[in-house]
Amino acid sequence: MLSKRQRASDDDPLARAIAPPPNETPAERALRISAEQEAKRVSDAIDEELNRQRTADKKGPKPIKLLLLDFQLMHSPRAFRAEKASWRAVIQLNVVQSIHAILDLMSKAHASSHGLSSSSSNPYAASSSSRPTTAHKDYPQLTPEHLKLKMRLAPLIQVEASLIRKLLPPGQADLATHTTPSALPSQQEVSVNSSISWKGAFNRLMGNSGNPRDSCESADFINWSDPEDAGVVLHACSEDMIKLWGDPTIRNLMEIEKMRPEEMAGFFLDALARVTSPRYVPTDDDILRARLKTLGVSEHRFQVDTGPFGSPMSHDWRVFDVGGQRSLVTAWAPYFDDMNAIIFLAPISCFDQVLQEDPSINRLADSFILWKNIVSHPLLKKTELVLFLNKCDIFRAKLASGIRLGDYITSYGNRPNDFESASTYIRKKFAGLMKEHAGDKTFYCHFTSVTDTTSTSLILRNVQDVIVRDNLRKSALAG
């Protein structure tokens, strides 16, 4: 007869899961115990390293913590060199997906001219939900030479699938490329998890500790002898890609479809000769222009000299990038309530575009909503906020071309459609939301371009000012 405690133990699923197999042999038992001991050793080592890190953090100066929303910050040059091999693959993917979108548009136009149906869509065209479109479009006639050009560029679809498989973990890559390569959607957005070391997938040289060697240049991390290197096919197709992008008929077709890839992140079609060269290595600006959606939160640590009055003083900076999680405020806010500052990057050039994940929402309007959620969040009320109204160069060009802000942001009405008036309105819109939902908190705002290499130093100077002011205010209150 079993006791009540024994019966309860037998009914416990956890107890059953960890119980030894009923017919375990002495040899199997020895292997099991050895495996358990090894697992405990690894666990203890991890705990010891975490405790060591906590102790070191307490003894050293308090690090400056920043939360970045959808922004790529240039930090450690050594690590940045090692990452260029992987960013080269991202840029190559950006190129082939841009070409893929144009090929899809050509298929749509060809099908339309022959009375066939086409369900193709592309990420570079303005959505029908943001601008009315006619039911029938008078596409230009594609010539046999256009169709031959399209066929010669077909190998790029295979390259796209190959790059996706390399950038993503095996399970996720299989799911992303479960269709045949020719059926891959050109609008498919690759998302990488920041907790997975995707940046090491293309690196050739690493130190014994897994860190990049100090003596290596960016090109040293690229495996130029890789027979599957996407650069080989891209170089072979370079002339045809340049021809396609410069073709007047194709440009006319894109204009009819309101397809403007040059306004999107990941645009490299104007630099095809350079980025498809045999030994192409991305520049810093190339990496800032590259498009790659990240999921999860990633942390970067680096030293910055930010001493007052010209006196150098080194601080440990920790930057947290929420990437694609930027809109999930309720998810990440509890973890970052002790941030010194939040840097919010709002691309104002996207006023005529919609969210890819929800075409019913205007992208600039979404930035207003997200800003409101952040400034009003109770856990972030003590955190200073720095706003960067970004991509001003593209914003200015759009307004100059005749695209009206009032057609998409109805509250702007019939105000002048010039940069000064429009940018001032947007700035006041963000400032008004802060005043309404965050009271007397100081409003820090800058107009920037993400490819401006001076942006990093500007950010650090601005955030340093935020932190100094905040510390002085707290000291005055304490006194």
Side-chain angles (χ1 to χ4, degrees), residues 244-314:
L244 179 75
W245 176 238
D247 187 277
T249 301
I250 300 300
R251 288 299 184 99
N252 185 16
L253 179 61
M254 294 170 63
E255 179 62 29
I256 292 172
E257 197 66 21
K258 304 298 181 185
M259 182 175 173
R260 299 187 289 266
E262 62 273 16
E263 297 171 0
M264 304 289 288
F267 173 70
F268 295 96
L269 299 186
D270 277 345
L272 282 170
R274 181 174 61 83
V275 300
T276 61
S277 59
R279 295 184 70 86
Y280 163 66
V281 177
T283 65
D284 294 348
D285 280 355
D286 287 346
I287 294 175
L288 290 174
R289 290 179 184 274
R291 178 177 177 84
L292 182 67
K293 184 177 181 179
T294 57
L295 303 176
V297 178
S298 57
E299 177 184 358
H300 307 286
R301 299 188 181 196
F302 54 100
Q303 293 286 327
V304 176
D305 292 333
T306 55
F309 309 109
S311 301
M313 180 184 299
S314 179

Side-chain angles (χ1 to χ4, degrees), residues 209-265:
S209 62
N211 295 320
R213 301 173 187 168
D214 290 326
S215 59
C216 294
E217 294 299 322
S218 299
D220 295 331
F221 291 95
I222 300 173
N223 185 1
W224 301 107
S225 60
D226 181 5
E228 297 183 0
D229 179 31
V232 176
V233 178
L234 262 66
H235 180 61
C237 294
S238 178
E239 186 176 336
D240 283 335
M241 285 192 287
I242 294 172
K243 186 175 182 179
L244 179 75
W245 176 238
D247 187 277
T249 301
I250 300 300
R251 288 299 184 99
N252 185 16
L253 179 61
M254 294 170 63
E255 179 62 29
I256 292 172
E257 197 66 21
K258 304 298 181 185
M259 182 175 173
R260 299 187 289 266
E262 62 273 16
E263 297 171 0
M264 304 289 288

Side-chain angles (χ1 to χ4, degrees), residues 25 80 87 143 178 182 189 310 332 347 373 375 412 428 436 448:
T25 66
F80 204 66
W87 281 111
T143 67
H178 68 283
S182 60
E189 182 162 24
W332 53 254
N373 290 339
V375 299
Y412 188 69
K428 288 182 177 179
E436 179 182 355
T448 63

Side-chain angles (χ1 to χ4, degrees), residues 86 89-90 93 97 160-178 184 188-194 196-202 291-295:
S86 293
V90 172
L93 180 62
Q97 289 194 320
E160 179 182 357
S162 175
L163 287 168
I164 291 174
R165 282 194 296 268
K166 287 187 177 182
L167 283 167
L168 300 181
Q172 189 179 351
D174 293 341
L175 183 63
T177 58
H178 68 283
L184 280 174
Q188 173 179 329
E189 182 162 24
V190 175
S191 301
V192 298
N193 195 311
S194 59
I196 299 174
S197 301
W198 67 271
K199 291 179 182 176
F202 296 82
R291 178 177 177 84
L292 182 67
K293 184 177 181 179
T294 57
L295 303 176

Side-chain angles (χ1 to χ4, degrees), residues 134 136-140 252 256:
T134 57
H136 174 74
K137 296 179 181 178
D138 188 16
Y139 291 123
N252 185 16
I256 292 172

Side-chain angles (χ1 to χ4, degrees), residues 33 41 79 121 131-133 144 206 233 320 325 329 349 411 438 441 443 450:
I33 292 175
R41 185 193 67 77
S121 62
R131 167 170 287 186
T133 57
M206 299 294 285
V233 178
F320 300 87
Q325 305 296 110
V329 181
S349 66
S411 59
K441 183 176 287 189
F443 180 63
V450 75

